[in-house]
Amino acid sequence: MIRFYGVSKVYQNGVTALNNINLHIRKGEFLFLVGPSGAGKSTLTKLIFREELPTRGQVIFSGKNVARMRHGEIPYLRRKIGMVFQDFRLLPQKKVWENVAFALEVTGVSRREIKRRVPEALKMVGLEDKAGMLPTQLSGGEQQRVGIARAMINNPSLLVADEPTGNLDPETSWELMNLFQEINQRGTTIIMATHAWDIVDKLKKRVVALNCGQIVRDEEGGGYRDEA
Amino acid sequence: MIRFYGVSKVYQNGVTALNNINLHIRKGEFLFLVGPSGAGKSTLTKLIFREELPTRGQVIFSGKNVARMRHGEIPYLRRKIGMVFQDFRLLPQKKVWENVAFALEVTGVSRREIKRRVPEALKMVGLEDKAGMLPTQLSGGEQQRVGIARAMINNPSLLVADEPTGNLDPETSWELMNLFQEINQRGTTIIMATHAWDIVDKLKKRVVALNCGQIVRDEEGGGYRDEA
Amino acid sequence: MRLSTIGYYFREAFSSLVRNSWLSLASVGTVTVSLLILGFSLLLVLNADRMAATLESSVEISAFLHSGVKQAQITSLEQEIKALPGVTEVRYVSKEQALTEMRQSFGQRKDILDGLDKDNPLPDAFRIKTQQAGQVPGVAAKIQTFSGVDEVRYGRGVVEKLLAVTHWIRVAGMAIMIALAAAAVFLISTTIRMSVFARRREISIMKFLGATNWFVRFPFLLEGMVLGLAGSLLAGLAVYFGYFSLARHVNETLPFIPLVTGMQYLLIMLGGLIALGLLIGALGSAISIRRFLNV
Amino acid sequence: MRLSTIGYYFREAFSSLVRNSWLSLASVGTVTVSLLILGFSLLLVLNADRMAATLESSVEISAFLHSGVKQAQITSLEQEIKALPGVTEVRYVSKEQALTEMRQSFGQRKDILDGLDKDNPLPDAFRIKTQQAGQVPGVAAKIQTFSGVDEVRYGRGVVEKLLAVTHWIRVAGMAIMIALAAAAVFLISTTIRMSVFARRREISIMKFLGATNWFVRFPFLLEGMVLGLAGSLLAGLAVYFGYFSLARHVNETLPFIPLVTGMQYLLIMLGGLIALGLLIGALGSAISIRRFLNV
Ligand SMILES: Nc1ncnc2c1ncn2[C@@H]1O[C@H](COP(=O)(O)OP(=O)(O)OP(=O)(O)O)[C@@H](O)[C@H]1O
Ligand SMILES: Nc1ncnc2c1ncn2[C@@H]1O[C@H](COP(=O)(O)OP(=O)(O)OP(=O)(O)O)[C@@H](O)[C@H]1O
Ligand SMILES: [Mg+2]
Ligand SMILES: [Mg+2]
């Protein structure tokens, strides 16, 4: 589904965030992206949905070179990807349900359908009673869950979650991980950048470890730390 | 050092975030604030440095009623408290070192002193090579560490950290926890709201557990979960 | 475009107006104030131009005839002069009428001219007006060549001065209008750009969620149009009522000064103002948003 | 206030100007454009007022004397008239001078008055000017009572009309100035308020870090002053050079129209513009920031 061919990313200030990344993520996989702070995890996810462009190399999504895409194609690429952002990125002036609904509105889903699906999604993340609030009126963990609901509502073929449990208590984190596993079983590919070692260790999925912009480990069914 | 007397907080939209909180935090203590997402941990910390005012009850800091303080006194209250915010709250237009220096600048510390202490603080959180960057050019964990450096640079008598390790890998988290223990030993009172159960369990400090705005447990040397 | 999407555009535009009420008010205020200034100075220029035209039309040529010209020749001369291009009015003044007029101009001291009645030294004359003051010298030269005409006179220095002044009034008026219209466009589009700027992060988030450029742009465009329309309608109403009460006031105290009150001019002008407001509002939003869409 | 803090204020203000270069430019632009409009219309009003004054000062009283008044009495009459309050100029015109003047006004047809030389029917007269046109009726009435004075005349209807017009010019000029100054203040302070608004989160963060209100406010105040000063200096320079080249141009093509070019007026006006820019810049920032400081 996604292939990285010799991808490097050097930011404008000269920081090399990724260095010659080669990676193949297959359809239906569940992949953990781990590594210390500043290793390049977020940068890697940003290349997939074209928030950033690679400095060298190619990122291929469903056979298309993401960097070479025409401008008109980008929105359609992004609609296939559900993104959970590390910094949430909620629309500050929209209510919780409007934030979630927005991901449907961009695709032109009917008002009726929206009214049906948004409460469902909010219920999945346990926020059905916060639908009418603004993001500024939520706790950190609640904001994070709004972001998760928004990423999943579209039934995207790929879910990219950047540190989705950083502000959540262990119980809520596990509930969400069950949700992720469920949608993964229904066919959604999942890439999750995380520091939650307990989750990674328990789930035994494919683990890609980054360090200083390079892949230092790519292990099927691995743990958070290198077992070797 | 801090006393909560029958404190309740009802937000303008009618949400009861805290309900009749009675709590006494002594000088030099290290206290973990735990509880599920939306329990009221952040709200409790916000009452201490007067981001929010209690709806009922009193918050006493060093013998002064925080809510009754004159406007001119508030800045001096806040300078005694080092705050690590859940949402970082870095000044987006200032470089990393300027963000950290700002906490000194408000108190009128000389330029020379600032030039000496800021690199020290950045080194403590492992960001000495990011001093010249803007917050938008940092990874999530790096931003979080800038916030921690800023909170500690003033040698505050109270350090309030709201989820300070949410975006950090386990190794970096532990380094920071060692730093926290060190400054705690030097006399700084520490209140830390967190979901990091492994840290809470290992450190065996005082644990105050919140649920739905009420204190459900207050245990010296306790773990993240109720052992009973 | 799907119906649900069109519904979204309108809901979005209006709820954004309400949510950003402070920015909206500031934008409407700027549009109103800028177009008020523009509107009132347009009226000032219009009136100055009208005044210039009135002044120009008061310039007269006097053509004095040889003494003893026959009545028949006078009639044919009048026809000839009337036929000249640019001539709008020809009036015959006999020597007797001329003396009476002169006497009147002397007021109470008219006895000065008492001795002249028996042997009136004044000639018969034509008084001629032209369409535009600029045609006076040419017409005068033509008339000079007609037989029976002794001497042709007009306020030589005065006409040139007058033409210079009215030319200046027109050029300056045009320059003022262009400058003020540019200033209004600048002020309004700056305000709108600032209010878009304040929401640049929102725009980038929308793009990351898969919104097309038009999907993001359209509500802003609608919002800009509403802001522009509201501001320009306010300005238009204020100009309309302000100017009419002013014109009434001027008419009472300075009845001799003719202000432009023809509805055809005013309505065109007001229509132009409102169109300008709408246009800057819509284009300003659409253009301002462009540089934030590229994510 | 510590020295290090003062240093911080200045560094902060200037680096903020650079960081927010787009907002800064927009603010400077708005200040410049608003004050340009204000400055040029101030000059317009100033010149209209000057023109009104020139018109008013051209009103003259003629006092005709009885025939046969002695030279001694004429001299004392001249003294008496000069002593009247408001009188600025008294000119004696003998009957011979009057005839010569009249002849000149007849131009080529001056032979009309040829017969009058032997028996000049015109009286000796004084021509009197007053400080203000409004004093004409009073002065005329006074002179009428002096012995030796036969009749006093002045353009009765004309003076009243003139006074009405010049009164209007002054009132309208004042109203325009006040309205435009208010508009400039509104436009500039809206822009500054928007640029503060765009940084409201920053302000609240500073407060949470223990900054006093003044610590947050002062750099904004300095920044506002710099923006206001830059904008008003630009506007001042443009008005100054624009007006002088305009005045030179007018002077060449319309030498008979006296434009105000006295430096004392212009410098006061430019000083006022710059002070206004500085003031709105500083106050606008300080006031705009207030509602975001309360955290
Ligand atoms: N916009 C940017 N401009 C410049 N440098 C950047 C930018 N974004 C990230 N970086 C740098 O690139 C490196 C990798 O950043 P990235 O955000 O990918 O890390 P990460 O693995 O997500 O870390 P974390 O776990 O802390 O979120 C870091 O050193 C960071 O400072
Ligand atoms: N500004 C606000 N206005 C209204 N309600 C708020 C506001 N801030 C928080 N709340 C509500 O108050 C409750 C407690 O919020 P708080 O931020 O204290 O939770 P928390 O314990 O910090 O949670 P988390 O672990 O997710 O950060 C939540 O239900 C939240 O929705
Ligand atoms: Mg990251
Ligand atoms: Mg919280």
CSV table of all heavy atoms in Angstrom, one decimal, chain A residues 9-18 34-46 52 86 162-163 193-195 210 213, chain B residues 130 133-143 145 167-169, ligand 1:
chain,number,residue,atom,x,y,z
A,9,LYS,N,14.6,13.4,4.5
A,9,LYS,CA,13.9,14.7,4.7
A,9,LYS,C,14.9,15.6,5.4
A,9,LYS,O,15.3,15.3,6.6
A,9,LYS,CB,12.6,14.5,5.5
A,9,LYS,CG,12.0,15.8,5.9
A,9,LYS,CD,11.4,16.6,4.7
A,9,LYS,CE,11.0,17.9,5.0
A,9,LYS,NZ,10.5,18.7,3.9
A,10,VAL,N,15.3,16.7,4.8
A,10,VAL,CA,16.1,17.7,5.5
A,10,VAL,C,15.2,19.0,5.6
A,10,VAL,O,14.8,19.5,4.5
A,10,VAL,CB,17.4,18.0,4.7
A,10,VAL,CG1,18.2,19.0,5.4
A,10,VAL,CG2,18.2,16.7,4.4
A,11,TYR,N,14.9,19.4,6.8
A,11,TYR,CA,14.1,20.6,6.9
A,11,TYR,C,14.9,21.8,6.5
A,11,TYR,O,16.1,21.8,6.4
A,11,TYR,CB,13.6,20.7,8.4
A,11,TYR,CG,12.4,19.8,8.7
A,11,TYR,CD1,12.6,18.7,9.5
A,11,TYR,CD2,11.2,20.1,8.1
A,11,TYR,CE1,11.5,17.9,9.8
A,11,TYR,CE2,10.1,19.3,8.4
A,11,TYR,CZ,10.3,18.2,9.2
A,11,TYR,OH,9.2,17.4,9.5
A,12,GLN,N,14.2,22.9,6.3
A,12,GLN,CA,14.8,24.1,5.8
A,12,GLN,C,15.9,24.7,6.7
A,12,GLN,O,16.8,25.3,6.3
A,12,GLN,CB,13.7,25.2,5.7
A,12,GLN,CG,13.0,25.2,4.3
A,12,GLN,CD,12.0,26.3,4.2
A,12,GLN,OE1,11.4,26.8,5.2
A,12,GLN,NE2,11.8,26.8,3.0
A,13,ASN,N,15.8,24.4,8.0
A,13,ASN,CA,16.8,24.8,8.9
A,13,ASN,C,18.0,23.9,9.0
A,13,ASN,O,18.9,24.0,9.8
A,13,ASN,CB,16.3,25.1,10.3
A,13,ASN,CG,15.7,23.8,10.9
A,13,ASN,OD1,15.7,22.8,10.2
A,13,ASN,ND2,15.2,23.9,12.1
A,14,GLY,N,18.0,22.9,8.0
A,14,GLY,CA,19.2,22.0,7.9
A,14,GLY,C,19.1,20.8,8.8
A,14,GLY,O,20.0,19.9,8.7
A,15,VAL,N,18.1,20.6,9.5
A,15,VAL,CA,18.0,19.4,10.4
A,15,VAL,C,17.6,18.2,9.5
A,15,VAL,O,16.6,18.3,8.7
A,15,VAL,CB,16.9,19.6,11.4
A,15,VAL,CG1,16.7,18.3,12.2
A,15,VAL,CG2,17.3,20.7,12.4
A,16,THR,N,18.3,17.1,9.6
A,16,THR,CA,18.0,15.9,8.8
A,16,THR,C,17.1,15.1,9.7
A,16,THR,O,17.5,14.5,10.6
A,16,THR,CB,19.3,15.1,8.5
A,16,THR,OG1,20.2,16.0,7.7
A,16,THR,CG2,18.9,13.9,7.6
A,17,ALA,N,15.8,15.0,9.3
A,17,ALA,CA,14.8,14.3,10.2
A,17,ALA,C,14.7,12.9,9.7
A,17,ALA,O,14.5,12.0,10.6
A,17,ALA,CB,13.5,15.0,10.1
A,18,LEU,N,14.9,12.6,8.4
A,18,LEU,CA,14.9,11.2,7.9
A,18,LEU,C,16.1,11.0,7.0
A,18,LEU,O,16.4,11.9,6.3
A,18,LEU,CB,13.6,10.9,7.2
A,18,LEU,CG,12.3,10.9,8.0
A,18,LEU,CD1,11.1,10.7,7.1
A,18,LEU,CD2,12.4,9.8,9.1
A,34,VAL,N,8.2,3.3,16.5
A,34,VAL,CA,8.7,3.7,17.8
A,34,VAL,C,10.1,4.4,17.6
A,34,VAL,O,10.7,4.4,16.6
A,34,VAL,CB,8.9,2.5,18.8
A,34,VAL,CG1,7.5,1.9,18.9
A,34,VAL,CG2,9.9,1.5,18.2
A,35,GLY,N,10.6,5.0,18.7
A,35,GLY,CA,11.9,5.6,18.7
A,35,GLY,C,11.9,6.8,19.6
A,35,GLY,O,10.8,7.3,20.0
A,36,PRO,N,13.1,7.2,20.0
A,36,PRO,CA,13.1,8.3,21.0
A,36,PRO,C,12.6,9.7,20.4
A,36,PRO,O,12.3,9.8,19.2
A,36,PRO,CB,14.6,8.5,21.2
A,36,PRO,CG,15.3,7.8,20.1
A,36,PRO,CD,14.4,6.7,19.6
A,37,SER,N,12.4,10.6,21.3
A,37,SER,CA,11.9,11.9,20.9
A,37,SER,C,12.8,12.6,19.9
A,37,SER,O,14.0,12.6,20.0
A,37,SER,CB,11.9,12.8,22.2
A,37,SER,OG,11.4,14.1,21.9
A,38,GLY,N,12.2,13.0,18.8
A,38,GLY,CA,13.0,13.6,17.7
A,38,GLY,C,13.6,12.7,16.7
A,38,GLY,O,14.4,13.0,15.9
A,39,ALA,N,13.2,11.4,16.8
A,39,ALA,CA,13.7,10.4,15.9
A,39,ALA,C,13.3,10.5,14.4
A,39,ALA,O,13.9,10.0,13.5
A,39,ALA,CB,13.4,9.0,16.4
A,40,GLY,N,12.1,11.1,14.2
A,40,GLY,CA,11.6,11.3,12.9
A,40,GLY,C,10.3,10.6,12.6
A,40,GLY,O,9.8,10.5,11.5
A,41,LYS,N,9.6,10.2,13.7
A,41,LYS,CA,8.4,9.4,13.5
A,41,LYS,C,7.3,10.3,12.9
A,41,LYS,O,6.7,10.0,11.9
A,41,LYS,CB,7.9,8.9,14.9
A,41,LYS,CG,8.9,8.1,15.6
A,41,LYS,CD,8.3,7.6,17.0
A,41,LYS,CE,8.1,8.7,18.0
A,41,LYS,NZ,9.4,9.4,18.4
A,42,SER,N,7.1,11.5,13.5
A,42,SER,CA,6.1,12.4,13.0
A,42,SER,C,6.4,12.8,11.5
A,42,SER,O,5.5,12.9,10.7
A,42,SER,CB,6.0,13.6,13.8
A,42,SER,OG,5.6,13.3,15.1
A,43,THR,N,7.7,13.1,11.3
A,43,THR,CA,8.1,13.5,9.9
A,43,THR,C,7.7,12.4,8.9
A,43,THR,O,7.2,12.7,7.8
A,43,THR,CB,9.6,13.7,9.9
A,43,THR,OG1,9.9,14.7,10.9
A,43,THR,CG2,10.0,14.2,8.5
A,44,LEU,N,7.9,11.1,9.3
A,44,LEU,CA,7.6,10.0,8.4
A,44,LEU,C,6.1,10.0,8.1
A,44,LEU,O,5.7,9.9,6.9
A,44,LEU,CB,8.0,8.7,9.0
A,44,LEU,CG,8.1,7.5,8.1
A,44,LEU,CD1,9.2,6.6,8.6
A,44,LEU,CD2,6.8,6.7,8.0
A,45,THR,N,5.3,10.2,9.1
A,45,THR,CA,3.8,10.2,8.9
A,45,THR,C,3.4,11.4,8.0
A,45,THR,O,2.5,11.3,7.2
A,45,THR,CB,3.0,10.2,10.2
A,45,THR,OG1,3.3,11.5,10.9
A,45,THR,CG2,3.4,9.1,11.1
A,46,LYS,N,4.1,12.5,8.2
A,46,LYS,CA,3.7,13.7,7.4
A,46,LYS,C,4.0,13.6,5.9
A,46,LYS,O,3.4,14.2,5.1
A,46,LYS,CB,4.5,15.0,8.0
A,46,LYS,CG,3.9,15.5,9.3
A,46,LYS,CD,4.8,16.6,9.9
A,46,LYS,CE,4.2,17.0,11.3
A,46,LYS,NZ,5.1,17.9,12.0
A,52,GLU,N,4.5,17.3,4.4
A,52,GLU,CA,5.9,17.7,4.0
A,52,GLU,C,6.2,16.9,2.7
A,52,GLU,O,5.6,15.8,2.5
A,52,GLU,CB,6.8,17.3,5.1
A,52,GLU,CG,6.6,18.0,6.4
A,52,GLU,CD,7.0,19.4,6.5
A,52,GLU,OE1,7.6,19.9,5.5
A,52,GLU,OE2,6.7,20.1,7.5
A,86,GLN,N,-0.4,14.6,16.4
A,86,GLN,CA,0.2,14.7,17.7
A,86,GLN,C,-0.3,15.9,18.4
A,86,GLN,O,-0.5,15.9,19.6
A,86,GLN,CB,1.7,14.7,17.5
A,86,GLN,CG,2.5,14.5,18.8
A,86,GLN,CD,3.9,14.2,18.6
A,86,GLN,OE1,4.5,14.4,17.5
A,86,GLN,NE2,4.6,13.9,19.7
A,162,ASP,N,-0.6,9.6,15.2
A,162,ASP,CA,0.7,10.0,15.8
A,162,ASP,C,0.5,10.3,17.3
A,162,ASP,O,-0.1,11.2,17.7
A,162,ASP,CB,1.1,11.3,15.1
A,162,ASP,CG,2.6,11.7,15.3
A,162,ASP,OD1,3.2,11.0,16.2
A,162,ASP,OD2,3.1,12.6,14.7
A,163,GLU,N,1.0,9.3,18.1
A,163,GLU,CA,0.9,9.4,19.5
A,163,GLU,C,-0.5,9.6,20.0
A,163,GLU,O,-0.8,10.6,20.7
A,163,GLU,CB,1.8,10.7,20.0
A,163,GLU,CG,2.2,10.7,21.4
A,163,GLU,CD,3.3,9.7,21.7
A,163,GLU,OE1,4.4,9.8,21.2
A,163,GLU,OE2,3.0,8.7,22.4
A,193,ALA,N,2.5,5.9,15.5
A,193,ALA,CA,3.7,6.3,16.2
A,193,ALA,C,3.4,6.4,17.6
A,193,ALA,O,2.4,7.1,18.0
A,193,ALA,CB,4.2,7.6,15.6
A,194,THR,N,4.2,5.8,18.5
A,194,THR,CA,3.8,5.8,19.9
A,194,THR,C,5.1,5.7,20.8
A,194,THR,O,6.1,5.2,20.4
A,194,THR,CB,2.8,4.7,20.2
A,194,THR,OG1,2.3,4.9,21.5
A,194,THR,CG2,3.5,3.3,20.1
A,195,HIS,N,4.9,6.1,22.1
A,195,HIS,CA,5.9,5.9,23.1
A,195,HIS,C,5.3,4.9,24.2
A,195,HIS,O,5.9,4.6,25.2
A,195,HIS,CB,6.2,7.2,23.8
A,195,HIS,CG,6.9,8.2,22.9
A,195,HIS,ND1,8.0,7.9,22.3
A,195,HIS,CD2,6.6,9.4,22.6
A,195,HIS,CE1,8.4,8.9,21.6
A,195,HIS,NE2,7.6,9.9,21.8
A,210,LEU,N,12.8,3.8,14.8
A,210,LEU,CA,13.6,4.8,14.2
A,210,LEU,C,14.6,5.4,15.2
A,210,LEU,O,14.3,5.4,16.4
A,210,LEU,CB,12.7,6.0,13.7
A,210,LEU,CG,11.9,5.8,12.5
A,210,LEU,CD1,11.0,7.1,12.3
A,210,LEU,CD2,12.7,5.6,11.2
A,213,GLY,N,16.6,9.4,12.5
A,213,GLY,CA,16.1,9.5,11.1
A,213,GLY,C,16.4,8.2,10.4
A,213,GLY,O,16.1,8.2,9.2
B,130,LYS,N,19.1,22.7,20.1
B,130,LYS,CA,17.8,23.2,19.4
B,130,LYS,C,17.6,24.7,19.9
B,130,LYS,O,16.5,25.2,19.6
B,130,LYS,CB,16.6,22.4,19.8
B,130,LYS,CG,16.8,20.9,19.4
B,130,LYS,CD,16.4,20.7,17.9
B,130,LYS,CE,16.6,19.2,17.5
B,130,LYS,NZ,16.5,19.1,16.1
B,133,MET,N,16.0,27.3,17.4
B,133,MET,CA,14.9,27.0,16.6
B,133,MET,C,13.6,27.6,17.1
B,133,MET,O,13.4,27.9,18.3
B,133,MET,CB,14.7,25.5,16.5
B,133,MET,CG,16.0,24.9,15.8
B,133,MET,SD,15.7,23.4,15.1
B,133,MET,CE,17.3,23.1,14.4
B,134,LEU,N,12.6,27.7,16.2
B,134,LEU,CA,11.3,28.1,16.7
B,134,LEU,C,10.5,26.8,17.1
B,134,LEU,O,10.7,25.7,16.7
B,134,LEU,CB,10.5,28.7,15.5
B,134,LEU,CG,11.1,30.1,15.1
B,134,LEU,CD1,10.4,30.6,13.8
B,134,LEU,CD2,10.9,31.1,16.2
B,135,PRO,N,9.5,27.0,18.0
B,135,PRO,CA,8.7,25.9,18.5
B,135,PRO,C,8.1,25.1,17.4
B,135,PRO,O,8.0,23.9,17.4
B,135,PRO,CB,7.6,26.5,19.3
B,135,PRO,CG,8.3,27.8,19.8
B,135,PRO,CD,9.2,28.3,18.7
B,136,THR,N,7.7,25.7,16.3
B,136,THR,CA,7.1,25.0,15.2
B,136,THR,C,8.1,24.1,14.5
B,136,THR,O,7.7,23.2,13.7
B,136,THR,CB,6.5,26.0,14.1
B,136,THR,OG1,7.5,26.9,13.8
B,136,THR,CG2,5.3,26.6,14.6
B,137,GLN,N,9.4,24.3,14.7
B,137,GLN,CA,10.4,23.4,14.1
B,137,GLN,C,10.8,22.3,15.0
B,137,GLN,O,11.8,21.6,14.7
B,137,GLN,CB,11.6,24.3,13.7
B,137,GLN,CG,11.2,25.4,12.8
B,137,GLN,CD,12.4,26.3,12.5
B,137,GLN,OE1,13.2,26.5,13.3
B,137,GLN,NE2,12.4,26.9,11.3
B,138,LEU,N,10.0,22.0,16.0
B,138,LEU,CA,10.4,21.0,17.0
B,138,LEU,C,9.4,19.8,16.9
B,138,LEU,O,8.3,20.0,16.5
B,138,LEU,CB,10.4,21.5,18.4
B,138,LEU,CG,11.4,22.6,18.7
B,138,LEU,CD1,11.4,23.0,20.2
B,138,LEU,CD2,12.8,22.2,18.3
B,139,SER,N,9.9,18.7,17.3
B,139,SER,CA,9.0,17.5,17.4
B,139,SER,C,8.2,17.7,18.7
B,139,SER,O,8.5,18.6,19.5
B,139,SER,CB,9.8,16.2,17.5
B,139,SER,OG,10.3,16.0,18.8
B,140,GLY,N,7.1,16.9,18.8
B,140,GLY,CA,6.2,17.1,20.0
B,140,GLY,C,7.0,16.9,21.3
B,140,GLY,O,6.8,17.8,22.2
B,141,GLY,N,7.8,15.9,21.4
B,141,GLY,CA,8.5,15.7,22.7
B,141,GLY,C,9.5,16.8,22.9
B,141,GLY,O,9.7,17.2,24.1
B,142,GLU,N,10.1,17.4,21.9
B,142,GLU,CA,11.0,18.5,22.1
B,142,GLU,C,10.3,19.7,22.6
B,142,GLU,O,10.8,20.4,23.5
B,142,GLU,CB,11.8,18.8,20.8
B,142,GLU,CG,12.8,17.7,20.4
B,142,GLU,CD,13.2,17.7,19.0
B,142,GLU,OE1,12.6,18.5,18.2
B,142,GLU,OE2,14.2,17.0,18.6
B,143,GLN,N,9.1,20.0,22.1
B,143,GLN,CA,8.3,21.1,22.6
B,143,GLN,C,8.0,20.9,24.0
B,143,GLN,O,8.1,21.8,24.8
B,143,GLN,CB,7.0,21.2,21.8
B,143,GLN,CG,7.2,21.7,20.3
B,143,GLN,CD,5.9,21.8,19.6
B,143,GLN,OE1,4.9,22.2,20.2
B,143,GLN,NE2,5.9,21.5,18.3
B,145,ARG,N,9.7,19.3,26.2
B,145,ARG,CA,10.8,19.5,27.1
B,145,ARG,C,11.2,21.0,27.2
B,145,ARG,O,11.7,21.5,28.2
B,145,ARG,CB,12.0,18.7,26.5
B,145,ARG,CG,11.9,17.2,26.9
B,145,ARG,CD,13.0,16.4,26.3
B,145,ARG,NE,12.9,16.1,24.9
B,145,ARG,CZ,13.9,15.8,24.1
B,145,ARG,NH1,15.1,15.8,24.6
B,145,ARG,NH2,13.6,15.5,22.8
B,167,ASN,N,4.4,13.1,25.7
B,167,ASN,CA,4.9,13.0,24.3
B,167,ASN,C,6.4,12.5,24.4
B,167,ASN,O,7.1,12.7,23.4
B,167,ASN,CB,4.8,14.3,23.6
B,167,ASN,CG,3.4,14.6,23.2
B,167,ASN,OD1,2.9,14.2,22.2
B,167,ASN,ND2,2.7,15.4,24.0
B,168,LEU,N,6.8,11.9,25.5
B,168,LEU,CA,8.2,11.5,25.6
B,168,LEU,C,8.3,10.0,25.6
B,168,LEU,O,7.5,9.2,26.2
B,168,LEU,CB,8.8,12.1,26.9
B,168,LEU,CG,8.8,13.6,26.9
B,168,LEU,CD1,9.4,14.1,28.2
B,168,LEU,CD2,9.7,14.1,25.7
B,169,ASP,N,9.4,9.5,25.0
B,169,ASP,CA,9.7,8.1,25.1
B,169,ASP,C,10.1,7.7,26.5
B,169,ASP,O,10.5,8.5,27.3
B,169,ASP,CB,10.8,7.8,24.1
B,169,ASP,CG,12.1,8.6,24.4
B,169,ASP,OD1,12.0,9.8,24.1
B,169,ASP,OD2,13.1,8.0,24.8
E,1,LIG,N1,9.1,22.0,10.7
E,1,LIG,C1,10.3,21.6,11.1
E,1,LIG,N2,11.4,22.4,10.8
E,1,LIG,C2,12.6,22.0,11.2
E,1,LIG,N3,12.9,21.0,11.9
E,1,LIG,C3,11.9,20.1,12.2
E,1,LIG,C4,10.6,20.4,11.9
E,1,LIG,N4,9.8,19.4,12.3
E,1,LIG,C5,10.6,18.6,13.0
E,1,LIG,N5,11.9,19.0,12.9
E,1,LIG,C6,13.1,18.3,13.5
E,1,LIG,O1,13.1,17.0,12.9
E,1,LIG,C7,13.5,16.0,13.8
E,1,LIG,C8,12.4,14.9,13.8
E,1,LIG,O2,11.2,15.4,14.2
E,1,LIG,P1,9.9,14.6,14.4
E,1,LIG,O3,8.7,15.5,14.7
E,1,LIG,O4,9.7,13.7,13.2
E,1,LIG,O5,10.2,13.7,15.6
E,1,LIG,P2,9.3,12.6,16.4
E,1,LIG,O6,10.0,11.3,16.2
E,1,LIG,O7,7.9,12.7,16.0
E,1,LIG,O8,9.6,13.0,17.9
E,1,LIG,P3,8.5,13.0,19.1
E,1,LIG,O9,8.4,11.7,19.6
E,1,LIG,O10,9.1,14.0,20.1
E,1,LIG,O11,7.2,13.6,18.5
E,1,LIG,C9,13.6,16.7,15.1
E,1,LIG,O12,14.9,16.9,15.4
E,1,LIG,C10,12.9,18.0,14.9
E,1,LIG,O13,13.6,19.0,15.7
